[in-house]
Amino acid sequence: MINLRVILTISKKEFINRIKNISLFILIFILTLLSLAISYFGTSPFGLTGFSGIDVTIASLMSLSIYLIPLIAFILGYDSITGEEEDGTMPLLLSSSASRSEIYLGKFIGLAVVISIAVFAGYGISGIIILLKENAGHIIGYFSFIFSSILLGISFLSIALLISSFTRSRTASITISVFLWFFYIFIYDLLLIGILVATKGKAAFINNAVIGGFLLVNPADVYRLFTISFIHGLKGYYGLTSILTGKFILNRVLLIFVYIMWIFLPMFSGMFIFYKKRY
Amino acid sequence: MLKQELSKEWANNGKPPVIEFKGINKDYKIKGGYIFKALIDINFSVKEGEVLTIVGHNGAGKSTLIKIIMGITKPTAGGIEIFGTDTAQAIPKNIKAKIGYIPEIVNFYGNLSGFEIMQFFGNLNNVYNEKLFKELLDRVGILKAANKKVIAYSKGMRQRLAFAVSRIKNPDIYLFDEPTSGMDPSGINEFISLIKLINDAGKTVIMTSHILPEVEDISSRVCIMLNGKIAALGKIPELLEKLGLAAAANLKFKDGFRLEESWFEQIKNSRLILDYNVNNKNLSVDIKFLEENRMKLINEIIGRYTDNLADMNIKKPGLFEIYNYFSIKKVSND
């Protein structure tokens, strides 16, 4: 039986620990600064400068999210379990009446709250400025984007905790985290594009469903697809993603399901590994 | 040679066992594909209300045994029952709630104060009584430092805080892994008093220690571990008798007295003493004897040397001698 008060206690401790971390504030500051800068200058590739409408601004901010938010999530979560093991606080924590599932869930929720606040604070300030210049009716679109960005953070946080649950040291944990960040953000899409270019898109096995399926394996791409599917004006700004406008890819139910899976699958896997982990 | 099976009988004090080890083995895979056997066929039980002290060299398996009880590590083979529940694969919450634990290395979240640590662990154990937290901190002598960040605590203060934390859930069993390491002598004495206190309240204590003389008086039984095996287990007097460990005495004579070796040879032959060593330069004699002959020997010495004896020191054998007996054996085996 899960004890919610125990989970809340651990979440609170995790939250307080992380918000005392100066590096998190620096990252939020960078996120805010860049979001403001990108909102203004980020539309240059589309031949525009200044605040050029909510859709194009969100399209630019999405690129920032894809680089920065997974990084913040990995920084927050990579040592959540291994850190306690290395610092020697884990044995006392395990000796308490809290179960391992409660400990894991508490950590996850605490960190999820931190990343939600970080994303909200990072985009909220620029959002206010942007919306002052925009129609208030766009506020829903902008909040949908923030919500999607928070989900992106939580999904990568879930992966970070999974890494932390099966590694034995901070070094191993950060190494795998950096590799995954690099792979998902820089390599994965390049590989897909590489395949398309190499086969000139004519290979029998390459079709929208296959490419779409591959995109769902990367949470950063799921974020892109998810956000685009909810903000229609964005479709025109994305290359590979905008090609895949078939029913399969932009089926919202599927995207919501996959996005949720990207949060819960790593989370439950990590919880199971931590439950089985012995020292 | 002593076997743990014999010790089972000695442990039989009529109280129910709270912990039973049933053929516990623990292997660790180490680099190069080698296997380190941390525990080998551990079989014994711990009775309610006893203080069991586990002693052994570094790597003997003491901490591994404690971790297995606490569910932090899992045995490779064998079973363990706590309050009749099999906990070898996983320790249920209701059993964890009955165990207080101080790990070998005590570390807390440095950014929290001592009182916040108590609140945190209190909440995890469903205890929200702040008055109790203060009382427990006071009992270990760190109430004045309760609002200080734990990062500023000395090692001894952290041990005391860990003791207070272990008492929050008022457990039936206490597991202390090297609880006095890093403590100053007065801290050790206070800690021993605290253990007496909880034991007097009927709690079971299992602890590992290197500080042998201090724990000797409070230990109901001792368990000597060597290379992952139990070398001996039982009450100290029983182990001394089984091992035939001798007491030692040093007799110092007045200046000008002429020592006669023949008398010592005579009492050695009559088995009143085991051995002797005469030092004519210091006018002293070192003798070894069995505890059972103590009073008879004292009477003989006093009767013979009343006028010439300047001083007499008798050293009773104890846990240190028992441990030494086995550690010498380990060195010779190595």
Side-chain angles (χ1 to χ4, degrees), chain B residues 257-270:
Chain B
F257 177 69
R258 194 181 157 80
L259 265 171
E260 37 183 5
E261 273 194 44
S262 58
W263 185 75
F264 291 101
E265 191 61 35
Q266 192 185 322
I267 58 171
K268 185 183 172 186
N269 290 337
S270 66

Side-chain angles (χ1 to χ4, degrees), chain A residues 17 94-95 97-98 102 279, chain B residues 73 93 96 107 111 125 169:
Chain A
N17 266 4
L94 293 177
S95 75
S97 300
E102 288 164 349
Y279 302 93
Chain B
T73 194
K93 279 170 92 172
K96 265 213 289 184
N107 274 320
N111 59 337
N125 293 304
K169 48 188 169 179

Side-chain angles (χ1 to χ4, degrees), chain A residues 13-245:
Chain A
K13 195 269 301 171
E14 203 70 23
F15 178 79
I16 291 168
N17 266 4
R18 301 296 164 157
I19 58 164
K20 284 180 179 172
N21 185 351
I22 191 76
S23 60
L24 183 71
F25 279 97
I26 293 169
L27 279 168
I28 295 173
F29 179 71
I30 291 170
L31 191 69
T32 311
L33 207 66
L34 289 177
S35 68
L36 280 169
I38 286 176
S39 303
Y40 199 79
F41 299 110
T43 52
S44 308
F46 306 113
L48 305 161
T49 51
F51 290 111
S52 310
I54 193 80
D55 294 333
V56 74
T57 303
I58 290 175
S60 304
L61 288 177
M62 270 173 66
S63 304
L64 176 67
S65 294
I66 285 167
Y67 289 111
L68 219 51
I69 292 174
L71 188 65
I72 295 175
F74 278 132
I75 289 171
L76 274 174
Y78 85 96
D79 69 342
S80 190
I81 306 287
T82 48
E84 293 239 21
E85 289 162 5
E86 280 197 351
D87 294 343
T89 50
M90 189 58 90
L92 268 175
L93 191 59
L94 293 177
S95 75
S96 72
S97 300
S99 69
R100 291 189 183 218
S101 313
E102 288 164 349
I103 292 170
Y104 195 92
L105 270 178
K107 283 179 172 292
F108 181 78
I109 292 168
L111 294 176
V113 171
V114 175
I115 201 155
S116 303
I117 291 172
V119 173
F120 198 81
Y123 285 146
I125 297 164
S126 47
I128 292 166
I129 297 167
I130 294 162
L131 290 170
L132 285 175
K133 292 177 176 289
E134 285 283 338
N135 186 335
H138 287 122
I139 201 158
I140 294 170
Y142 192 74
F143 274 99
S144 303
F145 157 72
I146 293 180
F147 176 69
S148 181
S149 301
I150 287 171
L151 290 184
L152 173 72
I154 295 173
S155 60
F156 272 95
L157 183 71
S158 189
I159 297 169
L161 253 84
L162 167 66
I163 295 166
S164 194
S165 67
F166 68 75
T167 47
R168 293 273 172 186
S169 68
R170 278 191 173 99
T171 314
S173 193
I174 193 75
T175 307
I176 296 170
S177 298
V178 167
F179 169 77
L180 275 185
W181 177 73
F182 200 77
F183 177 76
Y184 275 137
I185 308 307
F186 296 101
I187 308 290
Y188 193 83
D189 285 3
L190 274 180
L191 278 176
L192 280 186
I193 293 167
I195 292 168
L196 279 176
V197 171
T199 58
K200 294 178 181 168
K202 288 175 182 173
F205 63 91
I206 302 288
N207 56 42
N208 277 5
V210 170
I211 293 289
F214 274 114
L215 286 177
L216 296 182
V217 180
N218 182 350
D221 283 328
V222 175
Y223 163 71
R224 214 178 264 138
L225 292 167
F226 184 83
T227 313
I228 290 170
S229 77
F230 281 90
I231 306 170
H232 287 288
L234 292 178
K235 282 178 194 170
Y237 298 104
Y238 279 90
L240 179 66
T241 319
S242 61
I243 296 166
L244 302 160
T245 52

